[in-house]
Amino acid sequence: MPAFSSFMLATAALTGIAGTTASIMQGNRAAGQQDQALAAQQTGAAQAKADAKETRTQNQMEINKANQKKPDVRAILADKRKTGNDSTLLTGTTGIDPNALNLGSMAALGQ
């Protein structure tokens, strides 16, 4: 019977090793699946963040479009009628007197 018990011990040891190996492989598969799930979750979160940013940008553009500043054309035309000034120049319709630009000498610069 000692041969039989050695055989039983060897069989039990092999069964234990096989069970441990199967557990390790199953654990590795589960870890791989968790990594894949985490990667998918991170990708989804990044996409959701990008979508939220795009939505905020679109909303801000809509708000800006709705609140555009518009010139008061009536006030501009009324001011032009009061002053009689139809010029868009800063100096007015008469311009600047060339004598006002004279710095005191008619000589060329540096002479």
Side-chain angles (χ1 to χ4, degrees), residues 12-62:
L14 288 175
T15 303
I17 291 172
T20 303
T21 303
S23 295
I24 291 171
M25 290 174 60
Q26 182 65 25
N28 287 340
R29 265 191 244 122
Q33 289 172 346
Q34 286 177 343
D35 289 344
Q36 288 175 348
L38 179 61
Q41 183 181 10
Q42 288 172 340
T43 302
Q47 183 63 44
K49 188 175 180 180
D51 290 346
K53 183 177 180 181
E54 178 65 26
T55 301
R56 279 194 308 271
T57 302
Q58 287 286 23
N59 289 343
Q60 189 62 47
M61 289 173 62
E62 292 292 328

Side-chain angles (χ1 to χ4, degrees), residues 95-107:
I96 296 176
D97 179 20
N99 293 327
L101 299 175
N102 188 1
L103 297 176
S105 172
M106 296 304 282

Side-chain angles (χ1 to χ4, degrees), residues 83-96:
T83 62
N85 184 1
D86 289 341
S87 174
T88 58
L89 298 175
L90 295 175
T91 59
T93 56
T94 58
I96 296 176

